[in-house]
Amino acid sequence: MSIDLSSAGVTLQYAVENTSGTMPTTGFTVVPGIKAIPDLNPEPSSLETTTLEAMEWKTYIPGLRDPGAALAFTANNSEAFQTAWASLVEAAETAKEADKSIWFAIVIPGLTKAFYFTGNPSPLGLSAIEVDSVLEIQPYISPNEIEGWNAKPTQG
């Protein structure tokens, strides 16, 4: 029997490669204040392969999947979050200068694996503000490579 999981305790974490082109397994840092994570399960495009011999049904093969140009997360816009995000952006810039990537892990309690991807975080702007509401912000990460599910990382 499987046990259904909750979103409680899910974290977005990041680490810079130690060796260019190799996903790190340790040294991950949690990004605090994340409230929502965007969909990283886009459907593949369908490439039609129907030949003239077909009499009733078209045939397809899966094509590429597009995670989107910039993924919008949602976070509480606190001083702690802004400081952590600025450190993330700085780490990404330093990594890029050294020809290394920054890896992100979405860690879900109750699963033995985490979901990994590389990407570039964007500096924060200012999200919309409304009366009588929590001050939130949408930080963006532009994905470069989707690794998918792999063993959980060790925090640094």
Side-chain angles (χ1 to χ4, degrees):
M1 173 191 333
S2 72
I3 297 174
D4 293 330
L5 301 174
S6 164
S7 60
V10 173
T11 57
L12 172 65
Q13 303 179 19
Y14 72 91
V16 175
E17 292 176 333
N18 293 316
T19 304
S20 183
T22 303
M23 182 181 78
T25 58
T26 62
F28 279 76
T29 301
V30 173
V31 179
I34 297 295
K35 296 177 73 170
I37 295 172
D39 187 2
L40 284 161
N41 189 31
E43 71 176 293
S45 62
S46 294
L47 306 175
E48 186 182 340
T49 59
T50 310
T51 64
L52 292 173
E53 291 90 6
M55 298 296 289
E56 185 174 353
W57 298 97
K58 289 184 176 184
T59 58
Y60 297 88
I61 59 171
L64 300 175
R65 297 192 303 173
D66 182 3
L71 303 174
F73 291 73
T74 302
N76 284 332
N77 194 2
S78 65
E79 190 70 30
F81 173 76
Q82 287 205 6
T83 300
W85 195 263
S87 295
L88 166 58
V89 169
E90 185 178 327
E93 290 171 357
T94 302
K96 187 175 181 178
E97 290 170 6
D99 197 32
K100 295 180 179 178
S101 294
I102 194 149
W103 285 80
F104 295 92
I106 298 169
V107 179
I108 302 169
L111 293 180
T112 59
K113 296 180 178 183
F115 193 87
Y116 293 89
F117 65 100
T118 65
N120 298 313
S122 296
L124 295 175
L126 180 65
S127 293
I129 300 172
E130 298 178 21
V131 172
D132 196 27
S133 63
V134 173
L135 189 57
E136 296 178 335
I137 191 159
Q138 290 196 305
Y140 292 93
I141 300 172
S142 297
N144 294 329
E145 176 185 337
I146 306 294
E147 170 73 17
W149 296 98
N150 209 326
K152 281 188 175 179
T154 304
Q155 290 182 351

